[in-house]
Amino acid sequence: MAPARPTRSRSGALCRQLLLTLTILTFTCDACRKVILHVPSQLDAEKFVGRVNLKECFQSANLIHSSDPDFQILEDGSVYTTNAVLLSSEERSFTILLYDTENQEEKKILVLLQHQTKVLKKRHSKEKVLRRAKRRWAPIPCSMLENSLGPFPLFLQQIQSDTAQNYTIYYSIRGPGVDREPKNLFYVERDTGNLYCTRAVDREEYESFELIAFATTPDGYTPELPLPLVIRIEDENDNYPIFTETTYVFTVSENCRVGSTVGQVCATDKDEPDTMHTRLKYSIIEQLPAYPTLFSMHPTTGVITTSSSQLDREVIDKYQLKIKVQDMDGQYFGLHTTSTCIINIGDVNDNLPTFTRTSYVTSVEENTVDVEILRVTVEDKDLMNTANWRANYTILKGNENGNFKIVTDPKTNEGVLCVVKPLNYEERQQVNLQIGVVNEAPYSKEASSRSVMSTATVTVNVKNQDEGPECSPAVQTVQIKENVPAGTKSNGYKAYDPETRSSSGIRYKKLTDPKGWVTVDENEGSITIFRSLDREAESVRGGIYNITVLASDKDGRTCTGTLGIILEDVNDSGPVIPKQTVVICKTVMSSADIVAVDPDGPTNGPPFDFSLDSDADSDIERKWRLTKINDTAARLFFQEDLPFGTYRVPVRVTDRHGLSLITPLNVMLCNCVTENDCTLRTDTRTGHGEVRLGKWAILAILLGIALLFCILFTLVCGGTGAAKQPKVFPDDLAQQNLIVSNTEAPGDDKICSTNGFTAHTVGSSAQGICGTLGSGAKNGGQETIEMVKGGHQTLESCRGAGHHHTLDSCRGGHVDVDNCRYTYSEWHSFTQPRLGEKVQLCNQDDKHKHAPDYVLTYNYEGKGSVAGSIGCCSERQEEDGLEFLDHLEPKFRTLAEACIKR
């Protein structure tokens, strides 16, 4: 029997295998999809197995159920173990049931679990040929679970090329995880194309790997293009959700409405987004104090709100919450962390300040001011030193005269009652006040005004005080006519004793009297006129003259009062014209307005009568005329065509009672357009110009005079030195000048000859007789010869370009020509050889010959000519400035006539 046991055991295993295969075939026929998950042979409880795409079978499923109780399916298709699973066989399966309750539909997904041993055997079995026939050299989807437990190396996938049927193919890979960081994570078997992973991978560090696969022959031939191969790392719920803060602190006002937002918490999860691993759910675990429950938290957003309106800061001012966040949508096997949330209750003005007492009694002496007489206290449960706690006090009744003031002490919050205006015992012996109190911040609850304010009563007793005299009223008046004779008596200032209401025993003394017009009786306070009273005086304002009186009793206590003396107006002042200078711009106006004023009161003032006073000048009324404009003004006209100037016009102005006064006006008739043109200028327009020099103008004039004296002194000294030089000019040369004249061309009846001139060689200089014969200038066929008055003269011959010379004068000092008289023969003997010399030298060509148009021969002009013979001369091109030729001496008359004829 013993040998039969193995046979039965093998038979039982075969039966179980056939049953499993039948079951799988049965489910496969009904299932819409089959999914194969590669897992290790042992799975722990609540372990992620893999993910199934549920939407390929059902877009919306209301119910998701697993046929195997050891596995649980979540909404996103994640498969988790509910218990520890040991795969005794090489393969295990279960079905995912999907229900749509609205459409009454049901679908199934078959899930096959295979562990590593089963997979390896299949790869080397006969299915290898079948799989190779199905595969192509194309991208193959591949994935692995992060943090896999192995065993390592872990088989991932097999890459195959169809060209392996014809060639010996070697497989290789490159990319991240192979020859780049993290290096040596993946490798491929050269002959089989099996892809392996050497160690566990963290998806939060590497989400996927993009490799390149190559298929080559041993001799290096590449029958296939490089194949991109993406290895995706499946996420595992290995990261706990973490709150952004370890402790949250929020504040919410007390008595807030239900649903008021307190704050929001937030957490993060490093797992793959948009999966159950990162679907977080928030909740409140604990509240301290625990009762009553006042807060709630939204499970998805983490917003904390109030669930009750019973928050009262005066009862509990702080709450502490322990909050939790859990992934996997809050399922029990999800990962979770906790944090602390502190909620402070903010204060609002929900408590009224109330007086600790309803009535108070205090006292104060009369006539005292700025003293504290009472402090009142209140109670307020709101937060101290805030606007909800600080009190504002006010006096509601009894302070109609403004004697009291109540303020808040900022340190103690007490109300301080003070006297700001003195009390009078003789008027009131007791004052009753009603005071109220509110907070600085408005009351938060709806209530009537009567219940919002707390009130209390204060009784103030006034104590009597022995007082001095009282000056009441402080200002008293008495009426007196002005100009009353000295010694006139009148009533004065009266003070009294407030206790007896009598003025006996009070003495008076004058403190101020600006003009010294009155004296004050010491015993009665009456006044006596000391000097004549003048209502029009400067110290009188509005017809009232004020003096100050000091009243004192026998104990020396005093008071001060003012006595206003009302001065009755007397018509003692005539009307006057304040502006006594009048300007009339004669060119644009014929009159000017004048205005009169009367220092007396209105009863003794206008209307005024204006007239001209002709007593001083009988022609006033003939020259001037007055017309009345109104009660206080008139217009002054001039009646004749008066010359410009200033005129004195006396004008008489008479008031309503016949009192008159003459005002002499200074009327300025001016050649102006506006009045300022006349008043700001000082010239002959008015006939009475007045020049006013400033200090700088006077200084400038003095400096000018000093400069003039210096110039005159220099001229006198220079003239004296020049007078000592010899006088060399003859009197007949006073106005004789040789001027520029054009050169005449030779005429038809003239014979050119140079016999009349004698050529001489002239040195560099020679002493002249009555002038300087300087260098000559030849310019454009013209010769310029000038002779001017001078002192010591020199004849200079200057040879230059073009052989031109100039006869010029040297500027010298003053020459007295009276003593320099010479005869014609002497003048001729001096000038003849020199003129010949000049002609000889001037205007020669390159061969030192005279120019044919320069030396001219004239006919004989007669014997014994007074003027003598005239050489080669020509006239000036311009005929201006030749008037001096009319005054030449006879010797030059012939030359002048020749120039005029030309």
Side-chain angles (χ1 to χ4, degrees):
M1 295 295 294
R5 289 181 181 176
T7 303
R8 289 197 300 266
S9 177
R10 286 193 297 270
S11 298
L14 181 60
C15 291
R16 287 194 299 271
Q17 184 68 30
L18 292 174
L19 182 61
L20 178 61
T21 303
L22 182 61
T23 304
I24 293 174
L25 292 175
T26 304
F27 282 125
T28 304
C29 295
D30 296 336
C32 69
R33 186 184 175 211
K34 183 177 71 171
V35 178
I36 299 175
L37 301 178
H38 303 293
V39 297
S41 59
Q42 185 175 356
L43 297 174
D44 297 331
E46 299 180 1
K47 183 71 174 179
F48 176 74
V49 178
R51 184 174 290 106
V52 179
N53 191 355
L54 303 179
K55 292 185 178 181
E56 291 185 358
C57 290
F58 240 135
Q59 290 295 329
S60 60
N62 303 105
L63 296 176
I64 302 174
H65 182 66
S66 174
S67 61
D68 192 337
D70 291 335
F71 299 93
Q72 181 182 12
I73 313 300
L74 303 183
E75 294 178 0
D76 63 345
S78 300
V79 180
Y80 283 84
T81 59
T82 57
N83 302 306
V85 176
L86 179 61
L87 297 180
S88 57
S89 62
E90 296 178 352
E91 196 170 61
R92 181 171 177 173
S93 65
F94 63 91
T95 305
I96 301 175
L97 303 177
L98 305 176
Y99 296 97
D100 186 356
T101 57
E102 294 182 0
N103 300 323
Q104 298 295 324
E105 293 183 10
E106 176 182 347
K107 290 189 178 182
K108 302 176 182 178
I109 298 176
L110 178 62
V111 180
L112 297 178
L113 302 179
Q114 295 180 355
H115 59 79
Q116 188 70 24
T117 306
K118 177 69 175 178
V119 174
L120 292 178
K121 289 182 178 179
K122 285 184 178 181
R123 296 306 179 189
H124 296 87
S125 65
K126 63 182 179 179
E127 291 182 8
K128 179 176 181 180
V129 178
L130 179 62
R131 292 181 181 274
R132 182 182 300 171
K134 291 182 179 180
R135 289 184 179 274
R136 295 287 184 265
W137 187 254
I140 304 173
C142 182
S143 64
M144 65 173 293
L145 185 67
E146 72 166 328
N147 302 324
S148 175
L149 300 178
F152 295 103
L154 178 65
F155 174 80
L156 298 179
Q157 188 60 269
Q158 184 183 28
I159 54 176
Q160 289 288 328
S161 173
D162 294 339
T163 60
Q165 299 176 1
N166 303 321
Y167 302 97
T168 301
I169 299 298
Y170 291 160
Y171 299 97
S172 62
I173 58 175
R174 294 180 184 175
V178 181
D179 53 356
R180 291 189 310 209
E181 293 295 334
K183 293 182 178 181
N184 303 321
L185 180 61
F186 303 101
Y187 72 92
V188 65
E189 290 182 349
R190 187 187 68 170
D191 298 326
T192 63
N194 292 332
L195 180 65
Y196 292 92
C197 178
T198 60
R199 58 183 181 273
V201 181
D202 187 2
R203 192 208 66 84
E204 285 70 42
E205 187 175 2
Y206 303 101
E207 293 185 0
S208 63
F209 296 90
E210 295 183 1
L211 306 180
I212 303 297
F214 301 92
T216 59
T217 60
D219 58 357
Y221 173 66
T222 305
E224 300 281 5
L225 294 175
L227 177 66
L229 182 63
V230 179
I231 301 176
R232 181 175 174 273
I233 308 302
E234 295 285 346
D235 184 44
E236 183 185 19
N237 191 19
D238 58 341
N239 289 279
Y240 285 82
I242 301 174
F243 281 104
T244 56
E245 297 181 22
T246 57
T247 302
Y248 293 89
V249 179
F250 302 116
T251 300
V252 63
S253 299
E254 61 177 332
N255 301 325
C256 62
R257 295 179 299 177
V258 176
S260 298
T261 300
V262 178
Q264 184 179 14
V265 299
C266 184
T268 58
D269 196 322
K270 295 181 180 180
D271 288 324
E272 185 176 359
D274 301 325
T275 64
M276 293 295 292
H277 300 164
T278 55
R279 186 174 296 180
L280 307 180
K281 184 167 289 186
Y282 302 90
S283 61
I284 298 175
I285 301 176
E286 183 182 13
Q287 172 185 307
L288 295 176
Y291 182 82
T293 301
L294 301 174
F295 304 98
S296 62
M297 177 178 285
H298 193 280
T300 304
T301 62
V303 176
I304 302 174
T305 57
T306 58
S307 58
S308 174
S309 60
Q310 299 179 3
L311 293 174
D312 191 350
R313 190 205 65 84
E314 287 72 35
V315 178
I316 300 175
D317 61 350
K318 182 187 296 183
Y319 291 88
Q320 181 173 322
L321 304 180
K322 186 177 182 180
I323 56 178
K324 181 184 74 171
V325 60
Q326 189 170 15
D327 59 14
M328 303 303 295
D329 202 20
Q331 298 191 53
Y332 68 94
F333 53 83
L335 304 178
H336 70 273
T337 56
T338 60
S339 182
T340 302
C341 180
I342 297 175
I343 302 176
N344 296 316
I345 308 302
D347 183 48
V348 298
N349 190 19
D350 58 343
N351 293 279
L352 293 173
T354 57
F355 287 103
T356 55
R357 295 169 55 184
T358 58
S359 62
Y360 300 87
V361 179
T362 185
S363 61
V364 62
E365 289 188 354
E366 64 173 335
N367 301 322
T368 57
V369 68
D370 295 331
V371 292
E372 177 186 321
I373 61 174
L374 179 66
R375 281 181 174 259
V376 295
T377 57
V378 294
E379 292 181 351
D380 197 326
K381 296 180 181 180
D382 290 320
L383 186 62
M384 293 182 62
N385 298 320
T386 63
N388 302 328
W389 175 80
R390 288 189 290 268
N392 280 341
Y393 299 89
T394 182
I395 301 176
L396 302 176
K397 295 180 182 178
N399 193 32
E400 289 76 11
N401 295 329
N403 298 101
F404 302 95
K405 178 181 71 173
I406 188 168
V407 295
T408 304
D409 188 335
K411 296 182 179 180
T412 62
N413 209 33
E414 295 176 324
V416 182
L417 185 64
C418 304
V419 178
V420 295
K421 184 178 178 181
L423 296 167
N424 193 342
Y425 176 81
E426 286 72 28
E427 295 179 357
R428 298 179 67 181
Q429 290 78 34
Q430 189 180 77
V431 181
N432 294 318
L433 303 176
Q434 184 183 27
I435 58 176
V437 62
V438 293
N439 290 122
E440 290 183 1
Y443 189 54
S444 62
K445 296 182 179 180
E446 296 181 359
S448 62
S449 59
R450 183 172 302 175
S451 62
V452 168
M453 181 176 291
S454 175
T455 61
T457 58
V458 179
T459 301
V460 181
N461 295 317
V462 183
K463 296 180 180 179
N464 188 21
Q465 192 179 50
D466 188 10
E467 305 172 81
E470 183 175 343
C471 295
S472 181
V475 178
Q476 301 177 16
T477 59
V478 62
Q479 193 167 353
I480 305 175
K481 288 186 177 183
E482 67 171 333
N483 298 329
V484 296
T488 303
K489 292 186 178 182
S490 177
N491 295 331
Y493 193 87
K494 289 292 183 180
Y496 63 93
D497 188 347
E499 307 293 337
T500 61
R501 311 301 297 178
S502 172
S503 299
S504 60
I506 297 177
R507 295 181 177 275
Y508 302 91
K509 180 182 178 181
K510 182 178 68 172
L511 292 180
T512 60
D513 182 5
K515 292 292 185 179
W517 284 346
V518 298
T519 59
V520 178
D521 185 85
E522 183 181 3
N523 297 320
E524 298 180 358
S526 60
I527 61 173
T528 302
I529 304 303
F530 183 70
R531 292 188 180 92
S532 178
L533 304 178
D534 186 5
R535 184 180 177 276
E536 288 75 31
E538 295 180 357
S539 59
V540 178
R541 298 288 184 271
I544 300 177
Y545 180 70
N546 294 322
I547 64 172
T548 306
V549 178
L550 177 68
S552 60
D553 59 7
K554 60 182 179 179
D555 296 328
R557 290 170 295 192
T558 62
C559 70
T560 303
T562 300
L563 178 63
I565 302 175
I566 301 175
L567 299 178
E568 296 180 5
D569 186 36
V570 176
N571 193 16
D572 56 347
S573 299
V576 297
I577 300 174
K579 185 178 180 182
Q580 297 183 4
T581 300
V582 179
V583 177
I584 299 177
C585 293
K586 188 177 179 181
T587 57
V588 295
M589 55 191 297
S590 60
S591 63
D593 296 340
I594 56 177
V595 180
V597 295
D598 195 331
D600 292 326
T603 58
N604 299 318
F608 301 139
D609 290 332
F610 296 86
S611 61
L612 297 173
D613 186 23
S614 58
D615 295 341
D617 188 357
S618 58
D619 293 338
I620 291 296
E621 294 182 352
R622 179 176 58 82
K623 297 178 180 178
W624 306 93
R625 175 171 56 88
L626 277 173
T627 59
K628 188 174 182 180
I629 300 176
N630 51 36
D631 291 344
T632 60
R635 184 163 293 155
L636 179 65
F637 294 87
F638 63 89
Q639 300 188 118
E640 297 181 355
D641 189 10
L642 300 176
F644 296 126
T646 303
Y647 299 87
R648 188 177 182 84
V649 180
V651 178
R652 181 186 296 274
V653 185
T654 307
D655 63 14
R656 66 169 60 192
H657 296 297
L659 183 62
S660 64
L661 191 65
I662 298 175
T663 302
L665 298 180
N666 294 323
V667 182
M668 301 175 63
L669 284 181
C670 186
N671 183 16
C672 60
V673 178
T674 62
E675 182 177 341
N676 292 335
D677 294 342
C678 186
T679 56
L680 296 179
R681 296 181 182 180
T682 305
D683 52 17
T684 58
R685 295 185 179 191
T686 60
H688 298 278
E690 181 182 358
V691 179
R692 295 183 179 180
L693 299 177
K695 56 182 181 180
W696 295 109
I698 295 174
L699 180 61
I701 293 173
L702 294 178
L703 291 176
I705 294 173
L707 181 61
L708 181 60
F709 273 109
C710 292
I711 295 173
L712 291 176
F713 180 76
T714 304
L715 292 177
V716 170
C717 294
T720 304
K724 297 179 181 180
Q725 297 179 0
K727 302 177 181 179
V728 295
F729 261 27
D731 55 352
D732 58 351
L733 297 179
Q735 293 183 350
Q736 297 173 5
N737 298 284
L738 294 179
I739 63 175
V740 178
S741 59
N742 293 337
T743 302
E744 295 179 301
D748 297 337
D749 54 347
K750 299 294 188 301
I751 299 175
C752 295
S753 175
T754 59
N755 296 332
F757 297 92
T758 302
H760 298 278
T761 302
V762 185
S764 60
S765 63
Q767 184 67 32
I769 300 175
C770 285
T772 301
L773 299 179
S775 61
K778 176 72 172 57
N779 185 10
Q782 299 179 2
E783 181 173 332
T784 301
I785 303 175
E786 294 185 359
M787 180 177 290
V788 186
K789 291 182 288 185
H792 182 266
Q793 311 295 341
T794 304
L795 176 63
E796 295 181 357
S797 175
C798 299
R799 301 179 182 270
H803 304 281
H804 61 274
H805 306 273
T806 302
L807 182 61
D808 196 2
S809 64
C810 295
R811 304 299 188 264
H814 175 70
V815 178
D816 189 359
V817 298
D818 293 339
N819 297 328
C820 189
R821 295 183 180 271
Y822 294 89
T823 63
Y824 170 74
S825 60
E826 292 174 337
W827 168 256
H828 184 270
S829 63
F830 175 77
T831 59
Q832 186 66 23
R834 287 163 176 77
L835 288 174
E837 175 191 354
K838 299 298 290 184
V839 173
Q840 181 71 21
L841 296 176
C842 293
N843 208 25
Q844 293 182 349
D845 56 11
D846 296 338
K847 297 181 180 181
H848 300 281
K849 294 183 179 181
H850 300 300
D853 60 345
Y854 189 75
V855 180
L856 303 178
T857 304
Y858 292 88
N859 288 337
Y860 181 71
E861 297 180 358
K863 186 176 181 179
S865 174
V866 180
S869 178
I870 302 175
C872 176
C873 296
S874 62
E875 68 179 36
R876 291 172 60 102
Q877 291 182 354
E878 302 101 79
E879 296 183 359
D880 298 335
L882 301 178
E883 294 80 8
F884 69 93
L885 295 176
D886 298 333
H887 307 286
L888 295 176
E889 292 295 329
K891 296 177 181 181
F892 284 91
R893 294 279 178 83
T894 304
L895 177 62
E897 291 174 359
C899 292
I900 293 174
K901 289 180 181 180
R902 295 285 295 178

